[in-house]
Amino acid sequence: MTIKPLRKAVFPVGGLGTRFLPATKALPKEMLPVVDRPLIQYAVDEAIEAGIEQMIFVTGRGKSAIEDHFDIAYELEATMRGRGKSLEILDATRLKPGAVAYVRQQEPMGLGHAVWCARDIVGDEPFAVLLADDFMVGAPGCLRQMVDAYDNTGGNMICAQEVAMDQTDKYGIITPGVRAGTLTEVRGLVEKPKRGTAPSNLAVIGRYILQPEVMRVLETQEMGAGGEIQLTDAMARMIGDQPFHGLTFNGVRYDCGDKAGYVQANLAVAIGRDDIGQAVRDFAADLLAR
């Protein structure tokens, strides 16, 4: 079996971010910071660590701040140089020409539709999908762990996480086959099953490695849960035709699409920082003691 290398990653960033209104009325939710870096920056850094060469952003109206973030900021950089300040802190925000592409999702029709919008740029190559509001903390990063496994298995791979059985109706859930360490054979997928009907408690989390054939499946994919075109449904149709595995991530996930999860991520990252960690730790201890 020839395993094609993974060079491209799709970032679906066209969502409206309604759960964070009014903060996201004018600011894309992907630009919400965890301490001092936006969520989308963490996701791009994770992709670069995994060897991704081209970032494909599927955007929507009002998302120009994401494009600006990964561009050169002439006025800012000139001002910083003039004041003798280092530009090193901006290095990760400059994506080189050719290493980034943008495509519009004109209607919010679901994750599957967003991925399908990138079909012409993806072409006939395997690709990764990263959801920025699934904030993954680990060493190596989540996608790096998945790529290391993919290099041996090929096919399709999803990030898996065990969740409480009473939470399975909020996720895509795996029907598991053979398990070998952190790797689980995927024999089926169901999107947001009704409580009590889930085939396991292994949930699909926002990292994927997919073969280009999924684009042809999405082309004819009907509406699924929530009246949207679900990526989970399209992946389920590919099971049996190609190798399909779930990798249980060795690290911590914060659901930054949820307000509590977002605050938890900020607190966890801040406490782990050398520059502000102790001050935040002392403040948190004092606050909890009141």
Side-chain angles (χ1 to χ4, degrees):
M1 177 179 63
T2 301
I3 299 174
K4 290 184 178 180
L6 192 71
R7 300 189 313 112
K8 298 181 179 183
V10 175
F11 300 84
V13 293
L16 299 175
T18 53
R19 282 189 285 178
F20 278 85
L21 287 171
T24 50
K25 180 180 179 181
L27 178 73
K29 67 174 181 177
E30 297 83 9
M31 290 299 295
L32 292 173
V34 174
V35 183
D36 54 5
R37 294 162 66 201
L39 285 166
I40 190 64
Q41 181 70 64
Y42 287 99
V44 166
D45 291 347
E46 181 185 328
I48 291 172
E49 180 200 17
I52 298 298
E53 299 172 10
Q54 185 177 37
M55 316 296 162
I56 305 165
F57 296 94
V58 182
T59 68
R61 291 177 61 84
K63 297 286 185 167
S64 59
I66 295 174
E67 296 186 37
D68 291 342
H69 178 74
F70 290 108
D71 202 352
I72 295 172
Y74 290 102
E75 298 85 353
L76 172 63
E77 295 183 16
T79 299
M80 291 177 68
R81 285 193 196 94
R83 295 175 179 176
K85 294 186 176 181
S86 170
L87 300 182
E88 184 179 356
I89 197 170
L90 298 177
D91 285 349
T93 70
R94 301 189 196 95
L95 293 179
K96 296 178 181 178
V100 58
Y102 298 92
V103 61
R104 281 284 191 114
Q105 182 186 21
Q106 295 176 320
E107 298 178 77
M109 295 174 60
L111 176 58
H113 180 258
V115 170
W116 179 76
C117 287
R119 64 196 181 282
D120 290 337
I121 305 174
V122 166
D124 192 29
E125 292 190 45
F127 62 100
V129 178
L130 296 92
L131 307 186
D133 52 8
D134 269 329
F135 181 61
M136 315 295 269
V137 180
C142 182
L143 190 60
R144 178 73 263 171
Q145 293 180 32
M146 293 176 67
V147 168
D148 289 344
Y150 166 80
D151 286 342
N152 292 317
T153 65
N156 302 279
M157 186 167 295
I158 50 184
C159 180
Q161 181 183 51
E162 292 186 354
V163 299
M165 287 302 295
D166 62 358
Q167 297 292 306
T168 53
D169 60 327
K170 299 178 181 179
Y171 297 90
I173 299 296
I174 294 170
T175 300
V178 177
R179 297 193 184 192
T182 59
L183 208 59
T184 301
E185 179 190 9
V186 177
R187 290 187 176 172
L189 290 168
V190 57
E191 180 66 23
K192 298 178 181 176
K194 292 181 180 179
R195 288 195 180 187
T197 67
S200 75
N201 69 333
L202 271 182
V204 179
I205 306 304
R207 300 291 186 273
Y208 312 78
I209 296 175
L210 301 173
Q211 296 302 311
E213 287 79 8
V214 74
M215 294 299 191
R216 291 191 280 277
V217 177
L218 287 167
E219 186 85 42
T220 59
Q221 184 66 43
E222 296 180 356
M223 297 291 186
E228 297 181 334
I229 297 175
Q230 296 290 348
L231 182 60
T232 303
D233 294 341
M235 292 189 298
R237 290 170 59 186
M238 298 173 65
I239 295 171
D241 295 332
Q242 298 175 336
F244 215 122
H245 294 87
L247 181 84
T248 304
F249 169 54
N250 182 19
V252 181
R253 167 192 175 248
Y254 298 94
D255 180 5
C256 287
D258 172 78
K259 292 175 185 176
Y262 175 67
V263 173
Q264 291 162 9
N266 271 276
L267 183 60
V269 171
I271 285 175
R273 291 267 294 251
D274 292 335
D275 54 348
I276 61 173
Q278 190 60 53
V280 175
R281 216 174 284 119
D282 292 344
F283 170 75
D286 179 63
L287 189 65
L288 293 170
R290 292 178 189 175

